Amino acid sequence: MADQLQLHSYWRSSAAYRVRIGLNLKGLDYAIVPVHLVRDGGEQHTPGYHALNPQELVPVLQHGERVLRQSLAILEYLDETWAQHPLLPADSRGRARARALAQTVACEIHPINNLRVLQYFENTWNVPQPEREDWVRHWIGQGFAALEEMLADHPGTGRFCVGDIPGVADCCLVPQVYNARRFGVDLAPYPTITRIEAACLALPAFDAARPENQPDAPRV
Ligand SMILES: N[C@@H](CCC(=O)N[C@@H](CS)C(=O)NCC(=O)O)C(=O)O
């Protein structure tokens, strides 16, 4: 089909997880194209995938002939293309706040803990696993401390990051909390973050996007 949506995704990629949530919130049909980030050195580094995304990162969204990269840009593309369930608030102040929260995760916390960063530590500098994992916990903790302050007691915070409708900030927050749990971050100091995460995961759109519910997740 000409305008079919195809998401190049990896079950445990938090950037792909953001887009899966956005697609589900909008109620859009899409096919998952799995890209295994680890097997055989990583399928993101194959010439075929490089042609789709010279950054060799997931996600990539194909919409018919269009190739879209960068999860936040993809979420905004979805919002501008399909009106149902807006992912950004209607007012400019709300949009600025939603983007600031989303970018705190996507631009500050996530990139320095990415697979390729950890692989560089391991393969180039021989940093042992406990130190690599400590690095991840440190930067998630610092980022979450800031996010918790930005969310707690803010009049713009509701059931979700911005008001009572889940949006782009929640699309970023929930996958980052998944990563935090994966690396054993103590979440007790972040009650607002975990409260919002629980509210999100109770919704089918978030539940269906969970890593363990993906077709390429390992079957246990
Ligand atoms: N800023 C990018 C980040 C994408 C990204 O870092 N994806 C990770 C998975 S979460 C990846 O593909 N990593 C592969 C690698 O590090 O080699 C976005 O938001 O789309």
Side-chain angles (χ1 to χ4, degrees):
M1 262 198 292
D3 278 344
Q4 196 194 359
L5 288 165
Q6 288 189 306
L7 182 67
H8 297 259
S9 171
Y10 179 58
W11 66 285
R12 213 155 59 168
S13 154
S14 62
Y17 189 178
R18 294 172 198 152
V19 176
R20 295 195 300 259
I21 298 166
L23 287 161
N24 294 345
L25 284 171
K26 291 236 166 238
L28 297 168
D29 276 337
Y30 60 98
I32 293 276
V33 183
V35 180
H36 202 296
L37 296 186
V38 184
R39 193 170 54 213
D40 299 330
E43 292 174 355
Q44 71 276 31
H45 304 304
T46 59
Y49 192 78
H50 181 97
L52 273 181
N53 187 357
Q55 284 195 293
E56 300 180 2
L57 300 170
V58 293
V60 162
L61 183 73
Q62 285 186 272
H63 180 204
E65 299 294 304
R66 274 164 261 180
V67 176
L68 301 141
R69 311 176 182 102
Q70 286 290 343
S71 60
L72 294 186
I74 295 171
L75 288 169
E76 295 220 11
Y77 174 83
L78 297 179
D79 225 25
E80 290 165 15
T81 309
W82 288 277
Q84 69 269 24
H85 192 105
L87 299 173
L88 283 163
D91 62 303
S92 55
R93 200 184 289 189
R95 280 198 299 279
R97 180 155 184 272
R99 289 184 176 123
L101 293 166
Q103 288 171 22
T104 300
V105 171
C107 304
E108 313 296 343
I109 302 176
H110 174 266
I112 51 176
N113 296 324
N114 204 353
L115 175 66
R116 60 187 178 175
V117 172
L118 300 180
Q119 286 176 336
Y120 187 80
F121 281 159
E122 181 180 4
N123 301 329
T124 307
W125 287 345
N126 300 314
V127 178
Q129 187 169 353
E131 279 84 347
R132 297 198 305 270
E133 293 186 354
D134 195 49
W135 163 278
V136 173
R137 281 191 292 273
H138 173 79
W139 293 113
I140 294 179
Q142 195 181 85
F144 274 13
L147 269 178
E148 179 67 27
E149 270 193 59
M150 291 160 77
L151 289 166
D153 302 325
H154 189 287
T157 305
R159 247 183 105 212
F160 302 104
C161 285
V162 183
D164 292 326
I165 299 173
V168 69
D170 306 285
C171 290
C172 291
L173 184 73
V174 167
Q176 190 59 58
V177 180
Y178 169 83
N179 276 353
R181 292 188 197 285
R182 185 179 154 205
F183 283 92
V185 174
D186 174 15
L187 294 172
Y190 318 116
T192 316
I193 289 176
T194 50
R195 194 245 321 138
I196 292 171
E197 183 215 22
C200 288
L201 289 175
L203 302 176
F206 284 81
D207 186 55
R210 284 178 192 254
E212 56 272 26
N213 292 336
Q214 300 314 298
D216 55 330
R219 297 288 156 233
V220 282

